[in-house]
Amino acid sequence: MENRLKVWCAGISDQVTPGTTTVVEGAPGTGKTAALDDLAARWEASGRHVVRARGSALESDLPFGIVAQLFDLVDPSLVPDEALGALRLTAVTADFGVLHGVYRLAAALAGTDGLLVVVDDAHWADAASLRWLAYLALRLQRLPIALVLAVGVGERCDDPSYGEILAACHRVTLDNLSLDDIAALISPTPAPEFVAACLDATGGNPLTVTRLVKALAEDGVPPTAEACWRVAQRGAEVSGEVMAARLRRRPAAVVAAAHALAVLGPSPHPDVLAELSRLSPVELAEAVRTVELLGVAGPAVLDDMPAPARAALHLRAARALRTHGASDRVVAEHLLETSPGLEPWAGEVLDRAAQEAVNRGDTSGAARLLWRALREPVANPSRALRLLGVAELVGNLPGATARLREAFQSDEDDAESAVALSYALHAEGKAAELTAVLSGGSPRAEAHLAVHGLAWQEAVPASVSLDTPAGVLHHVMVGDISAAEAVPLVSTATTMSALTSAMILNLADALDSALTVLDDVDRAQAPALRALTYVMRANVQRRKGDLVSARADLTLAGDHLRQDRRWLAVSTWHAALLADILLEESRLDEADELISEASTDEARRVWSFGGLLTVRGRMLTARGDDHEALEAFLAAGRHCEGWPYRNPAALSWRSGAALACAAMGDGERARNFAHEEVELARVWGAPRALGMALRAEGRVTAGAPGRTLLEEAVRVLRGSPARLELARALVDLGVVSRRQGDTSGARACLRDALDLAQKCGSSAMAARAYSELVATGSGPRRMRQTGPTALTPTEHQVAALAARGQSNEEIASALLMPADAVEGLLNGTYRKLGVSGRLQLAEVLDVD
């Protein structure tokens, strides 16, 4: 700053000549006082007189306070009698005689050598002194006197004399430092990143910059790029010290407003701010304006307050905010800064705020609130313990199970504590204890036990009522209730009922309804719950045949599962679905590697491991290893024997076993497996499961009966949303038709299958359909690459949205993908459809 100050002062000195009035303007810390110091030193060095004064908010009401400062060291013999009242602070009004007397004194001091009159912070000068300064400014041109005033940018002074001076003066403005200015202050030569960090930390304010540079040098911080984090840390400390010092010089009203604003934060409630500052509306408005002008920030102001005063202000804020209807979360944040036991309602507010934090997924915030709530006289300590345990469980913090066990033991009749403890035991893999904890017999406990039973064999309840969606899902999985009976019993009253209902709708082939339910589930939850929601969405999309959307949901689920790896059932299900999609993309090696990684000893304990075994069987079948494939399917069957779940809509291992047996020449066993699955699927009644089972039975049944079963499979699947399964059935029917001599029927089936497989994004199925179509002797020589049916599901979605007039950014937001990816997909779509741009999409795709 020294070099820049020399430039400033040199420029100011050239302008400050006898007979002139100069006003130096600048924000706090821009070097106004330093510039005046240098200017005064230059005048004194040349043998001329200098008188100085400085305004203060604390002395602004003292008549002639500035005049007295200017001439307090003058030889009394030089003072005219008319000026004595002003210098002795006995004059109360700026009468002409007094003003002229002081003017004569200044003229006498100037003599022939000259006089420099300097007033710092002139915006705080008293009215009488301002009147004299204006009086002097009008008469300077005929005297060897220069008047220099320093004022703060934006500082307010309503005195007419102040405005009169500013209207007739020459003004010099001091700005903040630039990057080059800051670099000149630092030695050795700093890295550009270090200089930029200094600018970011200080805003370029010269006073703050110089103090920061000095502090960093004292700390031994080298001016390198690697030390930038130290600059940010030290810069916050230095800025806080400067702000606090700046605030201390202000009147009590400004300090009170700054404290209130610091406690309440940005955009405070006006009534609460007034109550906390204890200022009138006019005083508060002016004080707030001054605080904003000073730029004093909340943390720096609060850190400068004594701890008892800060806590008392937070308590007053909590009371005022609660009175004016603020949320429990806002009130609780202030209670955290106070001592416990001061308000009888504090425990309830903290408790409710913690519950809200748990619902938002803010586990660390909830734990902090609950630890504080437990120090208050709460009406239900076991509830506070339970909420604290839930927050720790969701946040994967240590001690959650112990806390929830304590809450459960302190109030064993509380079903909420039992449910919370059961999920802690679930996360730790202690399935054997689940039944004992949830054995109270309440419908709520029974419903959650049914949910645990979907993962752990030990937790499967002996009997479950149909009073809750979880109970309905249990009966759906067991297979003793049909889809038509189950769907009317779904409910979305709670998060758990919504998730279990979505599973029911998914198994019942009400896939769009399942997606609607999942879209309404609150995603501001724990990572495990968000992961489960995305895995369920992926499962629905997979069943619809939209492999691209399924993969996108699995990617999101994987991001959340990496944050919390305790939920084995969800992570195993995730692996099974992802491996299945890899198979459809003909990426067998990647699928094999994924299955191997997911097949841990821990994963073998959960129900969803059966799905992983089934996908492994499909992978081995695709490789032609029928013997190992059969072993994988049979292992899935043996794994599932520990559960009472028989519904093939949940896991269809029998179909895979049937096809493997048939490939090995064991036709009778193959037909037994397939027929058993058909019978189970007919009981359930949903078309996807039945169509898949009929397809398997048709493939292992020879002759016309087999073709009849395949035709029935196609007919049933056409009535379902399972497009990819329909494509499989069409391929099998086309193969059988060709072998039986029905070439035209085969071609029709295989063309439909090829189009469906391409739209679903299954390269494996598309390749099989294409090769079989070529084998009919009249198929295309290559797979279809043009036309609407050549579009992948994602291309279809993007094109449809573009046809309806949505921009790339809107499409990217709706489909959760980058905007540049949208442009790439559209370009590929234009090429396949043979169009030149968006305007032709609506007509080609028949979009309204």
Side-chain angles (χ1 to χ4, degrees), residues 582-600:
L582 290 172
L583 292 183
E584 297 296 341
E585 296 172 350
S586 300
R587 297 159 67 180
L588 275 63
D589 290 341
E590 293 178 56
D592 189 11
E593 183 179 357
L594 176 61
I595 293 168
S596 298
E597 290 177 357
S599 299
T600 64

Side-chain angles (χ1 to χ4, degrees), residues 34-312:
L36 296 185
D37 289 343
D38 187 270
L39 179 62
R42 291 171 184 264
W43 274 64
E44 289 175 339
S46 64
R48 291 176 286 186
H49 294 290
V50 176
V51 292
R52 298 189 63 173
R54 184 174 187 177
S56 169
L58 303 177
E59 298 180 3
S60 59
D61 294 331
L62 180 64
F64 288 109
I66 294 295
V67 169
Q69 284 189 55
L70 287 170
F71 301 107
D72 61 348
L73 298 179
V74 173
D75 184 351
S77 63
L78 297 177
V79 181
D81 292 341
E82 300 91 339
L84 287 174
L87 270 61
R88 295 173 181 174
L89 301 177
T90 58
V92 294
T93 59
D95 296 335
F96 175 79
V98 177
L99 297 177
H100 194 70
V102 179
Y103 165 73
R104 287 172 51 205
L105 172 60
L109 287 175
T112 58
D113 296 330
L115 172 68
L116 176 66
V117 180
V118 178
V119 181
D120 200 357
D121 289 335
H123 49 275
W124 280 335
D126 60 275
S129 295
L130 284 172
R131 189 74 197 108
W132 180 78
L133 291 170
Y135 186 90
L136 175 64
L138 291 174
R139 294 160 175 79
L140 282 179
Q141 292 183 358
R142 56 190 181 187
L143 293 173
I145 299 176
L147 175 61
V148 179
L149 309 179
V151 299
V153 172
E155 292 283 3
R156 183 172 178 177
C157 181
D158 296 327
D159 192 284
S161 298
Y162 181 77
E164 188 175 333
I165 295 170
L166 293 183
C169 70
H170 177 72
R171 301 169 82 157
V172 177
T173 301
L174 305 182
D175 298 320
N176 287 330
L177 300 178
S178 66
L179 285 170
D180 292 338
D181 295 327
I182 296 174
L185 300 177
I186 305 170
S187 61
T189 303
E193 296 85 355
F194 188 88
V195 178
C198 290
L199 180 62
D200 290 339
T202 62
N205 183 271
L207 175 62
T208 311
V209 170
T210 53
R211 292 195 179 182
L212 174 59
V213 170
K214 181 180 179 181
L216 292 171
E218 291 173 350
D219 294 344
V221 178
T224 61
E226 293 75 19
C228 288
W229 68 274
R230 296 284 299 277
V231 175
Q233 182 186 53
R234 202 71 169 92
E237 297 172 3
V238 171
S239 297
E241 294 168 0
V242 172
M243 288 178 185
R246 199 175 292 162
L247 183 62
R248 293 190 201 109
R249 297 185 57 224
R250 295 290 171 156
V254 176
V255 175
H259 288 170
L261 287 168
V263 165
L264 295 175
S267 304
H269 191 293
D271 295 336
V272 176
L273 179 60
E275 188 173 331
L276 219 58
S277 63
R278 294 172 175 163
L279 298 174
S280 68
V282 175
E283 292 175 320
L284 180 59
E286 181 60 26
V288 169
R289 193 192 73 82
T290 304
V291 171
E292 292 174 348
L293 177 67
L294 291 173
V296 288
V301 174
L302 293 178
D303 290 343
D304 195 51
M305 293 178 67
R310 185 168 61 245

